Amino acid sequence: MNTLFLHCRPGFEGEVCAEISEQAARLQIAGYAKGKPASACAEFICSEADGVERLMAGLRFNQLIFPRQWARGRFVELPESDRISVLLEALADYPQCGSLWLEVLDSNEGKELSNFCKKFEAPLRKALSKAGKLVEDARKPRLLLTFKSGREVFLGLAEPNNSALWPMGIPRLKFPREAPSRSTLKLEEAWHTFIPREQWDERLSDEMTGVDLGAAPGGWTYQLVRRGMLVTAIDNGPMAESLMDTGLVQHLMVDGFTWTPKQPVDWMVCDIVEKPARTAAMVERWIGEGHCREAVVNLKLPMKQRYAEVRRLLERMQEGFAERKLKVSIACKQLYHDREEVTCHLRRVGR
Ligand SMILES: C[S@@+](CC[C@H](N)C(=O)[O-])C[C@H]1O[C@@H](n2cnc3c(N)ncnc32)[C@H](O)[C@@H]1O
């Protein structure tokens, strides 16, 4: 069991390889990463027997930027019939698991395989339970079976509290019909990803105020309004009338990169298409100068060296806050609803 298997957005295999290799080197775990372009997955093969376990234990999944899901384990070839017996045999040295997810990759083959998985899940679940390999227990490892084809599966293990929140890292969010744009799902996913559900009432409360930079037509403003916040929406473009009719939105046609509020607000969100370094410097200033306490910003990625650029910007922000002697938690993730971009969440803690 010396392989770490990682899911990602197709086209970002190189970023996952660079990121996991850097993290493994930091933890002094020997191995190498590989990922076929556009395959929507990558692998990190460890040289030492316990390397993958140490790698997963030494990292927090939610601190990784590009992987959508991860699991340690190995590949197994499946026959055309009686796949369950082969799987049971292959799982002989796996521990008893507390949950089971059947996963596919975010690719065309993956879409075709998801029907097979739906049919296969019930009989497999039954056989695993009967063999004592599966019980309902949230403290035990999760068994993650990723089907690369009907003939090849990765038998993976991950801790439920240190892996993706959803199968394949894909949240099933329903598009709210009243929302003015599909981008609304990006901010909703960001909240699910960065804010524990039990803290939503306190951190996304209707007593709060927010600023949305680059707001039009209003998908992100819609999410803030849905939480009952008073929102200042900054954009030269028009906002959806349905949002303006709520009476909770003030629309200002000014430049989002130079405007700052007269009074501090609770939240700043920004979805402007701009060079990522400019957006990063702007959010550093907003938090650093106390214009907001918490922020979600989208960093549009350059064409090349995307991982290196994101790391550089995150480090620069960290150094900036350290110079200001501020404690700010920074998280960054390529969300399912992100395309050539990542989403950052920043929160000033203490004082
Ligand atoms: C990707 S769209 C935002 C979509 C929005 N988040 C939504 O959910 O509907 C980017 C917006 O940024 C605006 N924009 C671009 N540069 C800007 C600037 N310097 N200041 C304010 N808005 C800007 C554009 O007019 C555009 O409406």
Side-chain angles (χ1 to χ4, degrees):
M1 214 187 279
N2 71 338
T3 302
L4 180 67
F5 187 70
L6 305 121
H7 293 232
C8 65
R9 183 180 181 82
F12 284 82
E13 301 78 14
E15 280 65 33
V16 172
C17 289
E19 184 173 11
I20 202 69
S21 302
E22 187 180 291
Q23 295 292 357
R26 190 177 57 81
L27 293 168
Q28 298 187 322
I29 296 171
Y32 66 93
K34 60 175 186 176
K36 234 169 67 193
S39 63
C41 63
E43 292 163 41
F44 186 81
I45 323 277
C46 287
S47 326
E48 303 144 72
D50 65 343
V52 192
E53 244 177 303
R54 286 199 291 122
L55 183 55
M56 288 179 99
L59 295 172
R60 294 303 304 165
F61 178 75
N62 58 13
Q63 283 170 357
L64 295 174
I65 300 165
F66 288 98
R68 277 190 193 160
Q69 175 62 295
W70 69 353
R72 62 182 182 278
R74 60 170 170 262
F75 285 99
V76 170
E77 275 187 40
L78 294 175
E80 256 178 60
S81 59
D82 202 13
R83 295 181 175 95
I84 289 183
S85 304
V86 173
L87 281 173
L88 284 177
E89 211 180 301
L91 287 168
D93 61 343
Y94 278 55
Q96 187 179 59
C97 293
S99 52
L100 167 72
W101 285 0
L102 269 60
E103 305 193 319
V104 292
L105 300 173
D106 188 4
S107 62
N108 289 337
E109 290 112 308
K111 280 185 198 100
E112 283 166 24
L113 275 167
S114 56
N115 265 343
F116 157 77
C117 287
K118 273 183 208 136
K119 287 189 200 133
F120 190 55
E121 183 170 345
L124 176 65
R125 196 174 277 282
K126 205 167 144 196
L128 289 172
S129 303
K130 200 169 153 210
K133 281 284 165 194
L134 183 65
V135 288
E136 285 289 315
D137 188 341
R139 289 161 307 177
K140 287 185 188 281
R142 177 167 288 147
L143 182 59
L144 297 166
L145 302 194
T146 305
F147 288 83
K148 283 187 94 178
S149 71
R151 306 295 296 273
E152 191 186 18
V153 62
F154 186 80
L155 299 189
L157 290 171
E159 307 314 312
N161 62 2
N162 194 22
S163 54
L165 293 172
W166 310 279
M168 296 166 270
I170 301 180
R172 303 278 161 208
L173 300 179
K174 203 162 157 247
F175 175 68
R177 264 190 301 151
E178 329 76 71
S181 71
R182 285 205 72 78
S183 301
T184 199
L185 294 177
K186 262 196 292 191
L187 187 55
E188 190 178 345
E189 185 183 351
W191 284 345
H192 281 283
T193 305
F194 299 121
I195 307 178
R197 200 67 174 89
E198 64 278 9
Q199 293 179 19
W200 280 31
D201 284 349
E202 180 204 336
R203 287 169 61 185
L204 295 167
S205 114
D206 59 5
E207 283 166 21
M208 291 183 157
T209 50
V211 167
D212 183 358
L213 302 177
W220 286 30
T221 295
Y222 170 83
Q223 292 292 339
L224 298 167
V225 165
R226 185 147 92 155
R227 301 296 305 175
M229 290 187 208
L230 274 178
V231 184
T232 307
I234 308 290
D235 204 307
N236 277 332
M239 293 295 288
E241 288 213 354
S242 55
L243 278 175
M244 300 312 297
D245 290 346
T246 62
L248 293 174
V249 182
Q250 182 194 20
H251 180 194
L252 301 180
M253 292 189 172
V254 289
D255 180 3
F257 280 97
T258 51
W259 181 86
T260 42
K262 292 200 175 70
Q263 295 292 324
V265 295
D266 298 290
W267 275 93
M268 183 273 276
V269 296
C270 174
D271 189 25
I272 298 176
V273 181
E274 206 7 295
K275 287 199 181 70
R278 192 168 183 219
T279 306
M282 184 269 294
V283 67
E284 187 194 320
R285 184 172 63 82
W286 269 70
I287 298 253
E289 293 177 2
H291 298 302
C292 68
R293 192 172 182 86
E294 206 154 343
V296 168
V297 300
N298 209 258
L299 297 183
K300 314 291 170 186
L301 295 177
M303 294 301 284
K304 287 186 190 156
Q305 298 284 316
R306 296 180 290 196
Y307 173 65
E309 175 69 357
V310 174
R311 268 252 76 84
R312 190 179 71 81
L313 295 177
L314 293 174
E315 273 160 26
R316 197 198 269 180
M317 283 194 271
Q318 262 152 1
E319 283 162 16
F321 293 130
E323 275 166 27
R324 291 176 195 259
K325 301 203 175 6
L326 288 181
K327 263 180 100 177
V328 178
S329 75
I330 308 177
C332 178
K333 197 94 195 153
Q334 185 172 44
L335 304 177
Y336 172 66
H337 291 95
D338 282 336
R339 290 165 188 260
E340 303 289 309
E341 55 201 353
V342 292
T343 299
C344 291
H345 169 250
L346 296 94
R347 184 186 187 208
R348 188 162 162 173
V349 281
R351 277 199 298 134

